[in-house]
Amino acid sequence: MSTGSKEVMQHYQDPSSPTGSLGTFNRREDMIDLFEIFNALWLSKLKIIAISLLFTIAAIIYALTAQQWWSSKAVVIPAQLNDFSEYQFQVKQFQPVFDVYQQDGTILVNEELTPLIDNEKLFQQFINSFNSLANKKEFLLNNDAFQRYLVDNEIAGEEAVSRTLDAWFEKIKAVTADTRKNEIYTLSLQATTDKSSFVLLNSYIAFVSAQVFEDNLSNLRAVTQAKENELKQMLTIFEAQASNYIDVEKQRSLLSLGIAKAANLEQPLANITDNKLFDIQLGVNALQAKVKALNSIDNLGVIDPNIQQIKAKLSLLKATKINTDISFKTFRFLENVEMPLGRDKPKRALIVVLWTFIGTVLSVVIVLIQHVTSKHIKEQS
């Protein structure tokens, strides 16, 4: 007999042999155990149904009584020029104060005011203000709907209110609508009813817009005030330099006058070379006239033209006022705020289905444990 035939014979088991009978018996035992399980479940079907029904009822009650949350949303993009044209005019009216006018007539344009009217910077300022925790806190603490929420849920005490505020901070946010385009943002606010979320989001947008409005006007005031202080300091320096120049010239002229008198030089002498220190060649009469002229100077701009330019800029600053009655927007709605069509929480159908499933599984486990325990007690007895 070949080796292959022996292996086949060794692996073959006759069903009538003891080993074959044992395998058949094990399969039969498995079938009996499975039958027992189904039988036990069938006999306890009312218990399974009752437990599942209990979980279903509890889920329905919870779903109907749980705090509801609704979200209103809007999509915004950076403002266009006509959205903040009035503010741009307020800024641009100060441009001549910042520009540098050279003596040859050329004008060096100063770019210090440009960031104040950059639409992308204005838009980012709005987004940052919308996400500001300080703004959220101030808005919520002064909002009637939030105060009612605290009262209805019996939330009192500094720590409890602080935790509630932290939770609500997460419900107010501005996020990028498209990761590829940073100029499109979705504004959202979650509240306890569809109407309150709609009203709160509109109110918060108005609140943030007012904050941005005040911040931009404050920035403009700060920039112009800084420029005014700079011009005043420059004026002080230039006037001091001009005054010192006059004093030096006066002293030189008086000394030259004394020398000219001592030399009896009444009239100018063209053939005397200027020694660059004393102007005795001008003669007594001319030097006396020069001293008189220096004493009569009351406008230092005659000495330094920069003084006149600075005074003109200061006069413009004094005459130019910032109009706080203007209106402008730093964003534009791509999608206006709309009433939410569906609640965020709770998902009632999902809650009922999930808890019914959990109740069914739990009831089956309880029945099987009871069956195994009962069977073990019977075998022991």
Side-chain angles (χ1 to χ4, degrees):
M1 183 179 295
S2 65
T3 305
S5 299
K6 289 180 180 180
E7 292 178 354
V8 172
M9 292 297 295
Q10 288 175 356
H11 285 86
Y12 173 75
Q13 297 292 340
D14 188 352
S16 62
S17 66
T19 305
S21 299
L22 182 60
T24 305
F25 176 75
N26 288 337
R27 287 195 295 272
R28 189 172 298 165
E29 279 291 317
D30 291 342
M31 293 179 63
I32 292 173
D33 290 342
L34 189 60
F35 174 77
E36 287 183 1
I37 291 173
F38 280 110
N39 186 54
L41 294 175
W42 176 254
L43 293 176
S44 301
K45 60 181 180 293
L46 294 179
K47 181 185 292 185
I48 294 173
I49 294 173
I51 295 175
S52 300
L53 187 60
L54 181 64
F55 271 75
T56 302
I57 294 173
I60 293 173
I61 294 174
Y62 171 77
L64 293 175
T65 58
Q67 177 65 66
Q68 297 183 31
W69 294 99
W70 302 72
S71 290
S72 290
K73 297 181 179 180
V75 180
V76 293
I77 57 175
Q80 303 301 309
L81 182 60
N82 61 320
D83 293 322
F84 60 97
S85 57
E86 292 186 29
Y87 172 66
Q88 185 186 44
F89 173 77
Q90 293 295 311
V91 174
K92 283 297 185 181
Q93 66 181 342
F94 293 101
Q95 188 63 47
V97 176
F98 288 80
D99 291 339
V100 178
Y101 298 86
Q102 297 184 322
Q103 293 183 359
D104 60 359
T106 59
I107 301 175
L108 300 179
V109 179
N110 188 296
E111 299 293 337
E112 192 173 348
L113 294 175
T114 302
L116 298 179
I117 51 176
D118 186 297
N119 67 328
E120 292 185 0
K121 286 184 171 60
L122 290 172
F123 179 65
Q124 197 58 50
Q125 184 182 0
F126 170 78
I127 296 299
N128 293 340
S129 297
F130 192 94
N131 286 328
S132 167
L133 296 183
N135 285 341
K136 292 178 184 179
K137 182 176 181 179
E138 182 180 352
F139 173 76
L140 291 173
L141 290 178
N142 292 281
N143 184 264
D144 293 337
F146 181 74
Q147 294 299 326
R148 284 196 302 271
Y149 176 83
L150 296 178
V151 173
D152 293 342
N153 291 273
E154 299 180 350
I155 299 173
E158 184 177 349
E159 184 177 351
V161 172
S162 179
R163 287 198 301 268
T164 306
L165 280 171
D166 289 339
W168 274 68
F169 289 163
E170 299 298 322
K171 303 178 188 300
I172 305 173
K173 54 189 175 182
V175 296
T176 307
D178 189 344
T179 55
R180 297 168 299 178
K181 298 180 180 179
N182 291 329
E183 68 270 13
I184 303 177
Y185 275 79
T186 298
L187 313 178
S188 62
L189 190 147
Q190 193 177 65
T192 54
T193 65
D194 53 350
K195 183 178 180 180
S196 64
S197 68
F198 175 79
V199 173
L200 281 173
L201 181 55
N202 278 303
S203 299
Y204 187 60
I205 290 174
F207 172 81
V208 172
S209 297
Q211 290 282 350
V212 173
F213 176 86
E214 291 297 331
D215 289 344
N216 278 285
L217 292 185
S218 297
N219 290 340
L220 180 57
R221 290 191 194 97
V223 171
T224 54
Q225 184 63 48
K227 191 63 178 180
E228 182 178 3
N229 293 335
E230 178 188 341
L231 290 173
K232 287 180 178 179
Q233 291 175 353
M234 291 175 62
L235 180 61
T236 300
I237 293 172
F238 286 149
E239 285 183 338
Q241 290 177 345
S243 180
N244 290 336
Y245 176 80
I246 292 174
D247 290 339
V248 170
E249 283 296 310
K250 190 185 300 182
Q251 291 297 322
R252 287 179 60 189
S253 298
L254 287 173
L255 290 172
S256 298
L257 178 60
I259 296 172
K261 285 182 178 179
N264 293 320
L265 298 176
E266 297 293 334
Q267 300 298 325
L269 299 176
N271 57 348
I272 297 180
T273 305
D274 183 11
N275 61 8
K276 298 183 180 180
L277 181 60
F278 299 111
D279 299 326
I280 59 173
Q281 74 279 4
L282 294 177
V284 173
N285 294 333
L287 288 171
Q288 287 177 339
K290 182 177 180 181
V291 171
K292 184 178 180 180
L294 289 172
N295 287 327
S296 66
I297 293 176
D298 56 1
N299 182 5
L300 296 178
V302 174
I303 305 301
D304 188 350
N306 289 321
I307 294 175
Q308 291 295 99
Q309 185 179 136
I310 293 174
K311 285 185 175 180
K313 289 183 177 182
L314 287 172
S315 297
L316 179 60
L317 274 174
K318 186 176 180 180
T320 306
K321 304 297 182 182
I322 298 175
N323 185 7
T324 58
D325 294 330
I326 64 171
S327 61
F328 65 92
K329 294 189 294 183
T330 55
F331 68 94
R332 170 172 288 194
F333 281 113
L334 195 60
E335 294 180 13
N336 291 321
V337 180
E338 299 290 346
M339 290 277 286
L341 299 178
R343 73 179 66 85
D344 300 331
K345 302 175 185 177
K347 302 293 186 182
R348 291 175 176 173
L350 180 61
I351 291 174
V352 172
V353 171
L354 182 60
W355 279 86
T356 301
F357 175 76
I358 293 173
T360 302
V361 172
L362 183 61
S363 62
V364 169
V365 171
I366 292 173
V367 168
L368 291 178
I369 292 174
Q370 289 178 342
H371 172 71
V372 172
T373 304
S374 177
K375 182 178 179 181
H376 179 71
I377 293 174
K378 288 180 181 180
E379 290 176 353
Q380 291 295 325
S381 61

